[in-house]
């Protein structure tokens, strides 16, 4: 694999990552409503999901799933139900003022749950799978040897740059959070922003 291919893939994947979409909005809204730690946790979860899709692509499972219509639809349905459950929980959640925790004590269990949520969201998003199927083949070169190694190399590049971008978004969002502390009524609005993000993800998931 040449340096030219690696740089080209990096720039392409970076463009996909920073393009306005549900993933960045999810990290942004999570960081604002819950805090920087949770935004970073969401970033880790979303980025880790890319390793899952990389493995599916490396072993040809992604192609098989897309080739079987009912299985692909089943993944969409399951992903939609999961997101609808999150939307319901957000809708029913009590509206409370945004509070900055000056002690910086955050439950490791709650942070892990945020990582888990981000991971599941990414894994259950069939659109990511389609991106991998359409993007990767153009950068794979059989003449350079082991294709699985090439897939994992490019997949790792995708995952690392996505993690960096999402973490930066989470950190920058923390400054917005500090501003919103002065406006306690805004929490209710932010809950609905999060709901809108998940609805957008559902719509994005079913778009052809």
């Amino acid at each position: 694999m040449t340096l030219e291919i690696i740089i080209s893939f990096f720039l392409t994947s970076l463009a996909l990552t920073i393009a306005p979409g549900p993933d960045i909005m999810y990290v942004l809204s999570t960081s604002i409503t819950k805090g920087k730690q949770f935004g970073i946790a969401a970033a880790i979860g979303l980025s880790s999901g890319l390793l899952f899709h990389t493995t599916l692509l490396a072993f040809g499972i992604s192609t098989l799933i897309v080739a079987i219509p009912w299985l692909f639809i089943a993944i969409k349905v399951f992903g939609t139900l999961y997101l609808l459950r999150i939307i319901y929980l957000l809708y029913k959640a009590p509206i409370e003022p945004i509070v900055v925790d000056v002690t910086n004590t955050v439950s490791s269990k709650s942070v892990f749950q945020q990582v888990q949520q981000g991971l599941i969201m990414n894994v259950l998003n069939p659109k990511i799978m389609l991106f991998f199927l359409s993007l990767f083949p153009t950068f794979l070169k059989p003449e350079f040897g082991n294709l699985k190694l090439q897939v994992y190399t490019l997949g790792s590049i995708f995952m690392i740059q996505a993690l960096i971008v999402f973490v930066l978004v989470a950190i920058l969002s923390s400054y917005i959070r500090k501003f919103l502390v002065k406006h306690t009524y805004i929490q209710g609005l932010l809950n609905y922003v999060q709901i809108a993000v998940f609805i957008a993800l559902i719509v994005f998931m079913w778009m052809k």
Side-chain angles (χ1 to χ4, degrees), residues 159-200:
M159 182 176 65
I160 293 172
Q161 65 81 18
L163 177 61
I164 293 174
V165 170
F166 290 151
V167 167
L168 287 176
V169 170
I171 293 174
L172 292 175
S173 301
S174 65
Y175 292 99
I176 300 176
R177 176 181 171 82
K178 292 179 181 178
F179 168 77
L180 295 178
V181 171
K182 303 175 183 178
H183 305 275
T184 56
Y185 64 87
I186 207 71
Q187 177 65 49
L189 176 61
L190 290 176
N191 277 357
Y192 287 110
V193 169
Q194 280 195 305
I195 289 174
V197 169
F198 287 116
I199 292 175

Side-chain angles (χ1 to χ4, degrees), residues 5 11 32 65 73 76-77 90 93 106 153 164 190:
I5 291 178
L11 294 176
I32 291 175
I65 292 175
I73 292 176
K76 284 187 176 183
V77 171
L90 284 172
V106 178
T153 299
I164 293 174
L190 290 176

Side-chain angles (χ1 to χ4, degrees), residues 57-123:
L57 179 62
F59 290 91
I61 300 176
S62 292
T63 305
L64 179 62
I65 292 175
V66 175
I68 304 176
W70 68 264
L71 184 57
F72 192 58
I73 292 176
I75 294 175
K76 284 187 176 183
V77 171
F78 192 73
T80 299
L81 292 176
Y82 178 77
L83 293 176
L84 287 175
R85 176 179 176 274
I86 297 177
I87 290 172
Y88 174 77
L89 293 176
L90 284 172
Y91 179 75
K92 298 295 289 185
I95 297 175
E96 299 175 348
I98 299 176
V99 177
V100 176
D101 185 2
V102 294
T103 62
N104 290 323
T105 56
V106 178
S107 167
S108 58
K109 180 180 179 181
S110 58
V111 171
F112 175 76
Q113 288 174 341
Q114 191 68 61
V115 174
Q116 186 180 49
Q117 181 173 300
L119 174 63
I120 294 175
M121 281 181 56
N122 189 280
V123 167

